[in-house]
Amino acid sequence: MAPPVAFFAVFFAYPVAAIVARGLRDGSTGGWRPGHLTQVVSDPDTLHVLWFTVWQAAASTACTLALALPAAYVFARFDFPGKQLLRAVVTVPFVLPTVVVGSAFLALLGRGGLLDEWVGLRLDSGVWAILLAHVFINYAVVVRTVGGLWSQLDPRQEEAARVLGASRFAAWRRVTLPALAPSVAAAALIVFLFTFTSFGVIQVLGGPRYATLEVEIYRQTAALLDLPTAAVLTLIQFATVTALLAVHARTMRRRQSALSMVPAEQTARRPRGAVEWVLPGAVLAVTALLVLVPLAVLTLRSFDGPDGYGLANYRALGRITDGGTTTATFTVPPVDAVGNSLAYAAVATLIALVIGGLAAAALTVRTGAAAGTGAGAGAANGRSGAEGGSEGAVGRLVRGFDSMLMLPLGTSAVTVGFGFLVALDEPPLDLRSSWMIVPVAQALVGVPFVIRTLLPVLRAVDVRLREAAAVLGASPLRAWREVDLPLVGRALVVAAGFAFAVSLGEFGATVFIARPDAPTLPVAVARFLGRAGEVNYGQAMAMSTLLMLVCAVTLLALERIRTHPSGEF
């Protein structure tokens, strides 16, 4: 637990506390301003923003689960042509900058969009465009998180229930669903946190009528320069996320169980007959409409130059000046942002795997069970009752540690970015001029994905396997290598893919700390979108398409990594 705790204390708690404290203190007297806190919390506008933030996050999560769970089953249990490519493609929306996603859906669903031209229907005037864009972004979270565990569940358990007389649905409800519950809950939590802190999508598609806490924090900070109000809104966001994580941790603690798991390659098969092709066909059709169509619109717009369709937008990316103007958007060619993004994301992924892997290993210990039996065991062996109480204290400590690790997903990226600039400006933590500040900020978002991907699989490993290895003389390290690694190897690859993808597309904090001479792809896209003119918009679409292609190629390469039966990659 020590390295993850130290990492989050230095690079998350300290910067966030620094920026919030600066906002809540009176600049002239240096004292606290509790009256302002009460005023903002009781403001009807604040309550309306909070209600809409929670409502749209819950609705987005429900829609994502409804559409993505069937896809998770298809990817886990069936083999079909192009499966690896499609699984990589559905992850691409998750790493696209949210402002680009909003622009793509505006082109698809707004005035003059494809839907308006074909059937005369517009969806940008209500909340449906926001919900669809959120499903588009988070579709892969459910497919990969739930599908990763589902693909390793032993199908013979469900088959045994069928032999004993259970219907197909009853066998799934009584056997498979309880085994998947922790993974489904983890995916739902991630989706909710990401939509709860939604910024770019709401900014583009919501307009003045819809605003989340994240949008309001940005408006108060960047537009109105009202740091005290922004600090109070950050505290409200933080408190809501903390309460949600506490409920999630308490619920998951009651659902821990060991599962019978097999390699994923042994559970997937080709559909047999026309009837079994119905579900994969329907899932592929929904995936095409939900994921491929917006990506196709984005790609089409990237080729739409000032002189018609062509490569003009891509050629302009190699020049420092843009659109023929004399004012440069970048001090380096924008295409250099591709290399910057890949380098930053690689370092951030390594940090996230180390920190997240250690945290997941610490959380695997079944302290809840130990706490429940500690007092009885102590009495049976003549120990004091205080020893059983200490087990309970350790259990509560670990559960709090679990919730703490998810807080970066529910904390304003604007606050984190400003916090880095305010707090990490003095030795020995003077990172403002160091390139490491970017991957560290990106790793903060990647660590929760590593933990939530590895934890359900690690907790499903039967502890008796480790005990048997220890009895046979294996050291703890060898027991982990021989027992755990072969079972969690695929989950480790999925976690690495998620961490890399999230780091590649992180925008909220990176936009404040990336150096002008080393921009990332999302920052480059945002700079182009922030400048007027069709030329800049076309180059933004070209940069977004490059980001999409880089992500797809990387994820496809990860999809081809498999674990050998011996446990080696």
Side-chain angles (χ1 to χ4, degrees), residues 46 76 96 188 228 246 317 335 354 396 485 511:
T46 302
L96 289 178
L317 296 179
V335 73
V354 172
R396 289 189 293 271
L485 184 58
V511 70

Side-chain angles (χ1 to χ4, degrees), residues 405-555:
L405 296 172
M406 296 296 292
L407 288 177
L409 295 184
T411 304
S412 169
V414 175
T415 303
V416 174
F418 271 122
F420 267 53
L421 295 179
V422 169
L424 305 181
D425 62 341
E426 296 179 357
L429 294 176
D430 188 6
L431 298 180
R432 289 198 301 181
S433 59
S434 172
W435 65 271
M436 274 297 297
I437 193 172
V438 175
V440 167
Q442 293 174 345
L444 280 173
V445 184
V447 167
F449 284 90
V450 173
I451 295 172
R452 288 303 149 202
T453 304
L454 292 179
L455 198 55
V457 181
L458 282 172
R459 282 176 170 169
V461 176
D462 194 337
V463 68
R464 291 173 297 181
L465 297 176
R466 301 190 189 102
E467 293 171 352
V471 169
L472 293 173
S475 65
L477 178 61
R478 184 175 181 184
W480 176 84
R481 180 170 59 86
E482 300 289 346
V483 176
D484 292 76
L485 184 58
L487 294 175
V488 304
R490 180 173 176 80
L492 190 65
V493 174
V494 173
F498 260 134
F500 186 85
V502 171
S503 301
L504 203 62
E506 205 286 323
F507 171 72
T510 306
V511 70
F512 295 104
I513 58 180
R515 295 183 300 181
D517 61 338
T520 63
L521 274 171
V523 172
V525 170
R527 289 181 183 177
F528 276 121
L529 287 176
R531 296 173 64 89
E534 294 184 3
V535 173
N536 291 310
Y537 180 79
Q539 292 183 54
M541 295 300 102
M543 295 285 294
S544 301
T545 304
L546 288 177
L547 177 58
M548 178 181 67
L549 291 176
V550 170
C551 175
V553 170
T554 303
L555 295 174

Side-chain angles (χ1 to χ4, degrees), residues 214-292:
E214 185 80 358
V215 172
E216 191 63 20
I217 290 171
Y218 177 80
R219 189 176 73 90
Q220 295 291 339
T221 302
L224 303 179
L225 300 179
D226 189 353
L227 193 58
T229 299
V232 174
L233 295 176
T234 298
L235 291 178
I236 295 174
Q237 188 181 56
F238 190 81
T240 305
V241 171
T242 302
L244 175 67
L245 293 175
V247 173
H248 170 79
R250 185 179 183 85
T251 303
M252 289 300 99
R253 189 169 64 253
R254 298 175 179 176
R255 293 181 175 270
Q256 296 179 19
S257 61
L259 304 176
S260 176
M261 297 170 59
V262 296
E265 291 75 10
Q266 299 181 13
T267 63
R269 60 176 177 81
R270 298 272 296 186
R272 304 187 187 100
V275 175
E276 285 199 355
W277 273 105
V278 172
L279 180 58
V283 166
L284 293 178
V286 171
T287 302
L289 289 175
L290 182 64
V291 177
L292 299 183

